[in-house]
Amino acid sequence: MITDVVIAGAGPNGLMLACELGLAGVRALVLERLPERTRENRANGLVGQVVRMFDRRGLYERLTGTQGPPEPAPGFVFGGLPLDLGVLDDNPLHLLPVPQLRIEQMLEERAVELHAEIRRGHELTGFTQDADGVTVQVSGPAGPYTIETRYLVGADGGHSVVRKLAGIAFPGVTTDLTISRTAHAVVPAELVDPATGRLDIPGYGTIPPFLHHRTERGVFVYAPLPGTGTPLISTMEWSGQDPEGPLTLAELRASVRRVLGADIAFGPPDGQGPHMMRKLTGGNTRLAGRFMDGRVLLVGDAAHVHSAIGGPGLNLGLQDAVNLGWKLAADVRGLAPDGLLDTYESERRPAAERVVMSSRAQSALIGPGSEVTGLRALFTELLGDPRNVGRIADLMSGADIRYDVGVDHPLAGRWAPDLDLADGVRLAELTRDGRPHLIDFTGGDWGHPATAGLPGSTTPCTALLLRPDGYVAWATDVPEPDAESRASLRAAIRRWLDASRCAAEGCAGGR
């Protein structure tokens, strides 16, 4: 029996890909070398377009327990500098402060609902491929075995075994110039302003929460994350002592003293955890030489690693999975137009390059030296202009991504705007099936009238074709269909969705 898709790695990216494949009718088999989900919390939430992507798959409601669209964040940081997002008329930056452990749990539950199989304690050890498929060697609890699959996807992190066995280069830069320490810790209540969450540190002054607070000696962060009960305290130093062994609170307190020149008498976290206690030396910025090698593909950290500043990692990796899922499923089902799967790399590599650029720029802005202090003063002035704030917010959220879909329209290739439809359905509710949709704002000339815009509302065009990943494949402003616009729509369907699929599933006849 041939498995449709094998995914190596049951982290968020691998599980999200399994969900997307399941929505498209393709069953995924996920291999995870760890016998159970890790208790180490590697991230503390989602930043950027992926929050709205979760809304469009019904996953935001699962994580938050609330209905309705996510609200954009009133503020954030860029390179340790405050970013006032309240000055924007159209704020694209969304935050979802949920521990990665919870995100993985929810994604695994959803993947299983969509008939994915998760095998924990099963490690990929090798593979061979030919033009028709991949033979995967696996080490499991009962011994070694093989799996025949049409495609293999490496979602197995920065040290990806899949990438290494495929012989895909991972060029970039490794540095050992910084030491980062992060831990959950309890701060004395008298140091915290209950109204603002600011820390008032004797001998130093006031520090806002969540801000990368830079001094000439390092960076300090105090993050009282909602729902966790215990805040995170983090430091980064450009040089200094690095005692051997795991991080301790005493070592973190000493680091805080060096960075701020003042003491904070924080103590161990309450409860059973899991609690973070992590020390990292240096960092990596690397981008895979290619994201595809025959029938082997890479997503997430297996394809790119970079600084975590600004929290772009899950935003980038999870959107890799959403971009790849529908294309890979179409190929497996024999419905993919020629070249569709190749657009995974041509679309997602530029997105990864922009994240690498952004993280490098932010790392430079929190670096040491009086020159950097001057640069930060200049950036502070620049961020007083709403136009610059908007460009940075677009960059950090991923809202500035535009794919080349071959259509000349301002919306083409962009993330579809959030819309309310005439039948009382939000666009985010319409797209939870992971299918393409033709949205008609004319009252029925393009598609089913139930998808028309709300009466009297401002609509961005007269009709648009939505890809399964939420991006616009085609749009028009003509008030009524004519020969040219119909031909343009048919060309977009052939390029992205395949005409036979749309005829069978109704994407050109309404939703």
Side-chain angles (χ1 to χ4, degrees):
M1 179 178 177
I2 298 178
T3 301
D4 287 335
V5 179
V6 169
I7 301 170
N13 300 319
L15 293 171
M16 187 71 187
L17 178 59
C19 292
E20 291 296 296
L21 291 168
L23 281 175
V26 171
R27 186 180 181 189
L29 170 58
V30 183
L31 302 175
E32 172 54 56
R33 65 179 182 83
L34 297 176
E36 59 184 23
R37 281 196 301 271
T38 178
R39 289 177 59 81
E40 179 185 357
N41 197 42
R42 296 170 181 167
N44 296 290
L46 302 175
V47 179
Q49 289 287 91
V50 69
V51 178
R52 291 201 279 181
M53 186 68 244
F54 268 37
D55 183 37
R56 292 189 179 180
R57 289 295 188 260
L59 303 177
Y60 178 82
E61 184 175 330
R62 284 177 175 241
L63 284 175
T64 64
T66 60
Q67 297 182 346
E71 294 293 330
F76 200 53
V77 291
F78 179 79
L81 298 170
L83 200 62
D84 181 8
L85 302 173
V87 302
L88 301 179
D89 294 330
D90 184 14
N91 179 3
L93 192 59
H94 293 72
L95 307 178
L96 181 55
V98 176
Q100 181 171 324
L101 295 175
R102 172 62 187 130
I103 295 171
E104 289 188 10
Q105 178 188 22
M106 180 275 296
L107 288 175
E108 181 170 339
E109 292 169 353
R110 181 57 174 153
V112 171
E113 289 174 5
L114 293 166
H115 309 295
E117 180 183 354
I118 317 293
R119 294 185 187 174
R120 295 192 175 274
H122 294 248
E123 182 176 6
L124 180 146
T125 58
F127 66 83
T128 57
Q129 66 166 314
D130 57 28
D132 298 317
V134 185
T135 301
V136 180
Q137 288 89 47
V138 184
S139 175
Y145 63 96
T146 61
I147 305 171
E148 300 295 326
T149 182
R150 291 181 172 84
Y151 284 97
L152 170 65
V153 180
D156 48 347
H159 299 287
S160 171
V161 173
V162 173
R163 186 190 65 242
K164 293 174 182 178
L165 291 174
I168 298 175
F170 205 36
V173 176
T174 298
T175 64
D176 58 359
L177 302 178
T178 61
I179 303 173
S180 299
R181 300 173 174 90
T182 304
H184 282 104
V186 174
V187 176
E190 62 269 19
L191 300 185
V192 182
D193 183 335
T196 64
R198 295 173 180 265
L199 282 182
D200 187 5
I201 303 171
Y204 185 82
T206 300
I207 295 180
F210 303 109
L211 185 68
H212 287 73
H213 187 79
R214 175 190 176 270
T215 73
E216 290 290 340
R217 298 170 296 280
V219 177
F220 171 84
V221 179
Y222 168 68
L225 295 165
T228 61
T230 305
L232 280 173
I233 291 179
S234 181
T235 65
M236 184 180 75
E237 297 180 77
W238 299 293
S239 62
Q241 305 169 13
D242 183 14
E244 293 183 0
L247 177 65
T248 65
L249 284 184
E251 181 183 337
L252 180 59
R253 280 194 290 265
S255 178
V256 170
R257 189 180 308 115
R258 289 191 295 270
V259 170
L260 298 181
D263 285 308
I264 302 178
F266 50 80
D270 298 324
Q272 295 183 352
H275 298 124
M276 182 176 290
M277 182 73 75
R278 186 172 65 189
K279 177 168 56 176
L280 298 174
T281 300
N284 285 294
T285 300
R286 297 186 176 276
L287 188 62
R290 57 191 184 279
F291 289 10
M292 303 172 56
D293 180 73
R295 290 180 171 268
V296 178
L297 303 102
L298 306 175
V299 298
D301 288 356
H304 39 68
V305 295
H306 44 77
S307 168
I309 188 168
L314 285 177
N315 188 31
L316 182 63
L318 289 168
Q319 292 205 80
D320 286 350
V322 174
N323 184 284
L324 175 61
W326 64 280
K327 298 173 181 177
L328 188 57
D331 194 279
V332 167
R333 296 175 62 193
L335 299 171
D338 290 343
L340 178 65
L341 196 53
D342 293 333
T343 66
Y344 167 61
E345 178 161 356
S346 65
E347 291 185 344
R348 294 310 295 166
R349 173 176 283 277
E353 290 171 345
R354 285 193 65 75
V355 168
V356 167
M357 177 271 289
S358 172
S359 62
R360 282 175 167 167
Q362 293 184 74
S363 296
L365 279 169
I366 62 171
S370 58
E371 295 87 353
V372 174
T373 302
L375 182 62
R376 289 172 63 83
L378 174 60
F379 260 76
T380 298
E381 290 184 14
L382 294 175
L383 292 178
D385 186 331
R387 293 171 298 180
N388 294 331
V389 173
R391 293 193 64 174
I392 294 293
D394 284 344
L395 171 65
M396 296 190 75
S397 66
D400 60 350
I401 292 174
R402 183 174 188 180
Y403 300 138
D404 181 8
V405 296
V407 175
D408 184 18
H409 189 278
L411 281 179
R414 296 191 179 278
W415 174 261
D418 292 327
L419 300 166
D420 291 320
L421 306 177
D423 50 5
V425 175
R426 290 194 301 125
L427 181 64
E429 297 168 325
L430 186 68
T431 57
R432 290 177 181 178
D433 57 8
R435 294 174 55 191
H437 294 276
L438 179 62
I439 310 297
D440 177 15
F441 300 103
T442 67
D445 290 333
W446 285 103
H448 194 282
T451 62
L454 286 172
S457 65
T458 301
T459 55
C461 55
T462 53
L464 63 83
L465 179 65
L466 196 62
R467 302 190 329 184
D469 60 357
Y471 284 81
V472 177
W474 171 90
T476 184
D477 293 324
V478 299
E480 295 182 1
D482 55 22
E484 182 178 355
S485 59
R486 288 187 185 278
S488 175
L489 174 58
R490 286 194 296 269
I493 291 172
R494 287 194 298 270
R495 177 175 182 178
W496 295 106
L497 306 173
D498 186 81
S500 62
R501 175 183 180 182
C502 283
E505 300 189 5
C507 74
R511 294 184 176 177

